[in-house]
Amino acid sequence: MDQFTLNLLFVGASFALYIGIAIWARAGSTAEFYAAGRGVHPVTNGMATAADWMSAASFISMAGLLAFGGYTTSAYLMGWTGGYVLLALLLAPYLRKFGKFTVPEFIGDRFYSPTARMVAVAALIIASITYVIGQMTGVGVAFSRFLEVSNTAGLLIGAAIVFFYAVLGGMKGVTYTQVAQYCVLITAYTIPAIFISLQLTGNPIPALGLFSEHTVSGEQLLTRLDQVVTDLGFREYTLQDGTPSQVINMTLFTFSLMIGTAGLPHVIIRFFTVPKVSDARISAGWALVFIALLYLTAPAVGAMARLNITDLMWPNGTQGEAVSIETIQSDPKYAWMETWEVTGLFGYEDKNGDGKIQYYNDASPALQERAAAAGWQGNELTNFNRDILVLANPEIGNLPGWVIGLVAAGGLAAALSTAAGLLLAISSSVSHDLFKGQLTPNMSEKNELLVARLSMAVAIAVATYLGLNPPGFAAQTVALAFGLAASSIFPALMMGIFVKRINNKGAVAGMLAGLAFTLVYIFLHKGWFFIPGTNSFADTIEGSLLGIQSTAIGSIGAILNFVVAYFVSNATEEPPQEIQDLVESIRVPKGAGMAVDH
Amino acid sequence: MSNRRRSDDGRESADRELASITKGVTAMADNSSNNEYWAANIRVIRVCLIIWALVSFGFGILLRPLLSGIPVGGSDLGFWFAQQGSIITFIVLIFFYAWRVNRLDRQYGVEE
């Protein structure tokens, strides 16, 4: 069976599974559409949350990001997992106790203010749309690479699948497909990782392999990697840049990602689906267990694949001769390079015509000296896309064809599950907060369910259109989605639960201050509305306005939100008694069942 | 239950008023115990968040230079915390919190 047929088989089988689940898990009521009838087991919800959370970026790009960023990129690992501690301790159980369907609904009720609710809807929609565009383009890319269809066709197929199970099943359909998608994606990620770890270190667990001995050299894998990359003029892998500005930026960036993660509505609403308050707490723990299975593996995959490829390019050691073109074209170990050259993700060019391919950092002064002495004319590994580390991993490790098919299905599962979760957050907010809450408060449940399905369909259409024609902000998921969630939604939710004194005026002023500050700061560094050239400051630590990169500014926006809300609330009247009672009641688990009936 | 959710906003606020009146009667006895429960909960959260910050921002970033003398598999303890240790600690923290607060729930009689 050829590779294409295998890929088709795996992707086709996984899609058939998702559609089967969709037909089985149809939603019959708004409670099922918005919250899966609140009957999801905490472990099941944990698994669905993990798939909801781990996007195409986590699956395809994170290992490459870690491999080429080294220690500094640990901020992603800590940030994207540390948020779950905040969710479990500060938000999920209380929002579950509140017992409603959307995040803006809590903000609107707690701060007895339709304005607050609409500010939250705006933040939710901007953050989620930014996020979903990346998933839609990811679906297109995965399809075109593995199934030989065009990007556009791939995206349309993916959208049709999501349409089917999300419109039909709402949260209920999305939950159970996400469970299936988690199983597909984690298997697809782990199998190649185990093989590469066995090959390099003899340890079958990649996370342990990262800290063990490299069998070929007899050195520790990380010591070896540090050595090899510095020999070629790259930054030492495990090195911490100890300058205060770097340390402060890494800290603030990690904090932004943490509170952004805890404030992302598509993650929060997953915890509305469990039966009890105590389930919401433990469910966040299970979610993190399932997420950690991938997040502990990713840095190992990154480091090992980078060492592997560097050794392939320098088979005689970094001080010896580089690999010859003849070897690349004849040795089966290098066959994957040819395959991936076709996709435009990999490429080399013999600039000095010596028949060898020298891979090194040609911006490093030390290597420029060596290059001058040896007659090199620049780095000859001209195209080395970071996504290769995961996508080509099965071929680099010489694994059987079905593993490649599995990776294709896994990448699509990661993109589709996150897209569905985001679309659900958008559509439930439109139908429940905008229509039911604001525009047509008297509509019946049947009509609300219809509106929910229609807004889901519209959201998918918009996301598909934007996936095909990505606007400038599409690439800014980290800055925009996490920045907005961190600076507006997280502080509002946390104060709503923990500080009884915060009133409507304080909450609205705080959210607007956090949002405005964060958005303006991002625009000042990335260009107004992300139009290139309209930025006033360079988006680097040195060039930035406050010495903070725009991706880390969400944490400052959040602090501003807290401070403004606190002072404005204290300068104005206390919240009414019934709101204070509401806060009292969400703080204790007792009576959550009643809240559902409400 | 979902059918009853249909009630419009007016009905909902009336419900809430009624709930707050009935609650008022039992509130006197409940309140002090609920406040104690909340204070105990906050204490657990505080301890957990101190550990949360210590392993990530502390060991993983700010205190890494201090831990650089402790080797772990080709690098140092700070690098391990940044890449793996913090994530493992986060998992332990959430399960510990869930277990501890479940006990508090029963102790103060506020479990579901």
Side-chain angles (χ1 to χ4, degrees):
Chain A
M1 216 187 290
D2 68 345
Q3 190 56 51
F4 175 74
T5 322
L6 269 174
N7 290 354
L8 201 64
L9 207 69
F10 269 85
V11 172
S14 67
F15 278 21
L17 177 67
Y18 307 152
I19 290 176
I21 292 171
I23 293 169
W24 168 70
R26 284 186 309 265
S29 66
T30 48
E32 286 188 346
F33 194 91
Y34 292 138
R38 304 204 200 274
V40 180
H41 191 274
V43 179
T44 312
N45 183 55
M47 214 178 255
T49 309
D52 195 50
W53 172 243
M54 291 190 289
S55 57
S58 288
F59 188 90
I60 299 172
S61 307
M62 194 167 64
L65 193 72
L66 297 165
F68 289 90
Y71 162 77
T72 318
T73 44
S74 308
Y76 291 101
L77 291 169
M78 293 186 284
W80 283 341
T81 54
Y84 281 84
V85 178
L86 301 178
L87 257 176
L89 272 56
L90 305 178
L91 303 182
Y94 313 107
L95 295 177
R96 171 64 193 84
K97 172 65 199 294
F98 181 63
K100 297 291 183 70
F101 291 133
T102 69
V103 171
E105 192 177 15
F106 172 79
I107 292 178
D109 281 12
R110 162 60 183 88
F111 299 115
Y112 47 103
S113 157
T115 316
R117 191 171 181 177
M118 289 308 123
V119 174
V121 169
L124 180 152
I125 289 179
I126 299 173
S128 303
I129 293 261
T130 314
Y131 215 121
V132 85
I133 297 168
Q135 308 310 314
M136 297 312 267
T137 44
V139 172
V141 170
F143 258 110
S144 61
R145 254 172 234 165
F146 291 106
L147 294 175
E148 299 168 23
V149 296
S150 73
N151 233 324
T152 312
L155 211 160
L156 291 175
I157 299 171
I161 298 286
V162 174
F163 180 89
F164 197 74
Y165 67 73
V167 171
L168 209 60
M171 182 57 113
K172 198 175 164 200
V174 168
T175 301
Y176 295 104
T177 30
Q178 280 175 338
V179 170
Q181 283 158 338
Y182 176 79
C183 298
V184 172
L185 81 88
I186 201 67
T187 320
Y189 202 82
T190 316
I191 290 179
I194 291 174
F195 276 96
I196 191 174
S197 179
L198 275 172
Q199 279 170 355
L200 262 64
T201 66
N203 195 320
I205 300 169
L208 297 178
L210 179 63
F211 290 91
S212 28
E213 201 174 88
H214 180 229
T215 17
V216 178
S217 65
E219 286 176 285
Q220 289 290 331
L221 185 112
L222 285 168
T223 316
R224 168 86 183 161
L225 181 59
D226 275 343
Q227 180 67 46
V228 169
V229 295
T230 42
D231 279 353
L232 298 176
F234 298 102
R235 255 175 63 90
E236 192 179 326
Y237 191 77
T238 61
L239 184 76
Q240 178 178 27
D241 183 342
T243 48
S245 64
Q246 287 282 353
V247 174
I248 292 170
N249 266 277
M250 186 175 169
T251 308
L252 289 177
F253 182 44
T254 308
F255 189 58
S256 290
L257 292 177
M258 283 175 173
I259 57 179
T261 301
L264 280 173
H266 74 285
V267 179
I268 297 176
I269 56 171
R270 285 238 45 94
F271 294 92
F272 296 171
T273 66
V274 294
K276 292 195 297 179
V277 173
S278 55
D279 293 336
R281 297 181 196 126
I282 201 92
S283 194
W286 283 112
L288 192 53
V289 167
F290 294 124
I291 291 167
L293 286 179
L294 193 145
Y295 276 41
L296 291 175
T297 307
V301 169
M304 288 175 190
R306 189 167 176 200
L307 180 59
N308 214 359
I309 290 174
T310 311
D311 280 342
L312 281 176
M313 299 312 292
W314 296 92
N316 309 304
T318 43
Q319 303 303 333
E321 287 287 324
V323 66
S324 68
I325 295 179
E326 204 195 319
T327 313
I328 294 180
Q329 285 167 349
S330 59
D331 192 329
K333 271 202 296 187
Y334 295 83
W336 62 270
M337 292 188 179
E338 301 283 307
T339 323
W340 286 89
E341 222 185 327
V342 182
T343 63
L345 295 183
F346 192 86
Y348 54 84
E349 183 197 342
D350 189 9
K351 289 178 185 163
N352 61 353
D354 66 349
K356 294 186 169 61
I357 300 301
Q358 284 94 18
Y359 164 51
Y360 68 103
N361 179 10
D362 48 18
S364 145
L367 265 286
Q368 279 165 357
E369 259 174 55
R370 186 177 163 193
W376 303 345
Q377 285 168 8
N379 173 30
E380 295 180 348
L381 190 61
T382 44
N383 182 6
F384 188 1
N385 190 299
R386 293 164 177 193
D387 294 352
I388 280 259
L389 295 191
V390 169
L391 294 174
N393 218 352
E395 285 147 288
I396 298 172
N398 242 331
L399 302 184
W402 61 267
V403 181
I404 301 168
L406 193 59
V407 170
L412 284 167
L416 290 176
S417 57
T418 306
L422 289 159
L423 289 164
L424 191 75
I426 297 169
S427 66
S428 59
S429 196
V430 168
S431 62
H432 196 65
D433 294 315
L434 218 54
F435 280 92
K436 176 79 178 170
Q438 203 67 29
L439 303 173
T440 53
N442 293 324
M443 74 178 153
S444 69
E445 193 201 327
K446 210 175 138 210
N447 284 340
E448 192 185 344
L449 189 57
L450 184 67
V451 172
R453 289 202 159 111
L454 286 175
S455 26
M456 175 65 91
V458 173
I460 293 173
V462 171
T464 310
Y465 174 79
L466 293 175
L468 292 171
N469 311 283
F473 64 86
Q476 306 301 336
T477 312
V478 169
L480 201 57
F482 284 86
L484 293 191
S487 65
S488 62
I489 299 173
F490 177 81
L493 292 177
M494 192 183 155
M495 287 185 292
I497 297 159
F498 286 84
V499 192
K500 227 188 280 178
R501 183 66 181 79
I502 302 294
N503 60 17
N504 51 354
K505 299 191 178 80
V508 173
M511 276 200 285
L512 289 178
L515 268 181
F517 171 80
T518 307
L519 269 182
V520 168
Y521 195 87
I522 293 173
F523 286 156
L524 283 173
H525 292 78
K526 292 198 183 278
W528 288 89
F529 300 97
F530 303 103
I531 298 163
T534 58
N535 56 323
S536 322
F537 300 93
D539 197 17
T540 56
I541 294 173
E542 297 75 28
S544 60
L545 177 58
L546 302 173
I548 299 165
Q549 277 185 296
S550 62
T551 43
I553 203 65
S555 48
I556 307 293
I559 293 168
L560 189 70
N561 184 339
F562 280 119
V563 171
V564 169
Y566 182 80
F567 282 106
V568 171
S569 295
N570 275 301
T572 47
E573 74 283 350
E574 263 189 53
Q577 189 57 42
E578 62 160 23
I579 296 299
Q580 303 199 22
D581 289 343
L582 172 74
V583 178
E584 290 281 339
S585 88
I586 57 170
R587 286 178 177 183
V588 288
K590 202 174 192 168
M594 281 159 50
V596 183
D597 268 347
H598 190 70
Chain B
M1 65 179 180
S2 45
N3 289 343
R4 291 181 51 196
R5 270 216 83 264
R6 221 188 287 165
S7 58
D8 57 32
D9 273 358
R11 170 84 188 283
E12 254 177 47
S13 67
D15 273 358
R16 193 179 295 146
E17 244 165 74
L18 191 70
S20 74
I21 294 167
T22 40
K23 232 170 69 188
V25 183
T26 43
M28 304 300 170
D30 273 2
N31 257 352
S32 66
S33 144
N34 280 358
N35 287 343
E36 274 174 46
Y37 164 78
W38 186 245
N41 180 23
I42 296 282
R43 277 196 299 277
V44 182
I45 291 177
R46 191 183 300 137
V47 171
C48 289
L49 287 186
I50 288 171
I51 299 170
W52 164 83
L54 185 70
V55 294
S56 51
F57 303 116
F59 297 161
I61 305 176
L62 299 165
L63 304 176
R64 187 177 168 203
L66 298 178
L67 302 177
S68 59
I70 308 167
V72 174
S75 186
D76 54 76
L77 192 62
F79 182 79
W80 181 77
F81 264 105
Q83 297 249 310
Q84 297 184 352
S86 51
I87 300 178
I88 295 166
T89 316
F90 295 156
I91 294 176
V92 175
L93 276 178
I94 299 180
F95 280 100
F96 166 77
Y97 176 76
W99 168 80
R100 188 72 189 78
V101 174
N102 279 349
R103 251 184 37 172
L104 282 183
D105 288 353
R106 282 193 298 276
Q107 209 173 319
Y108 289 89
V110 294
E111 80 271 29
E112 294 144 276

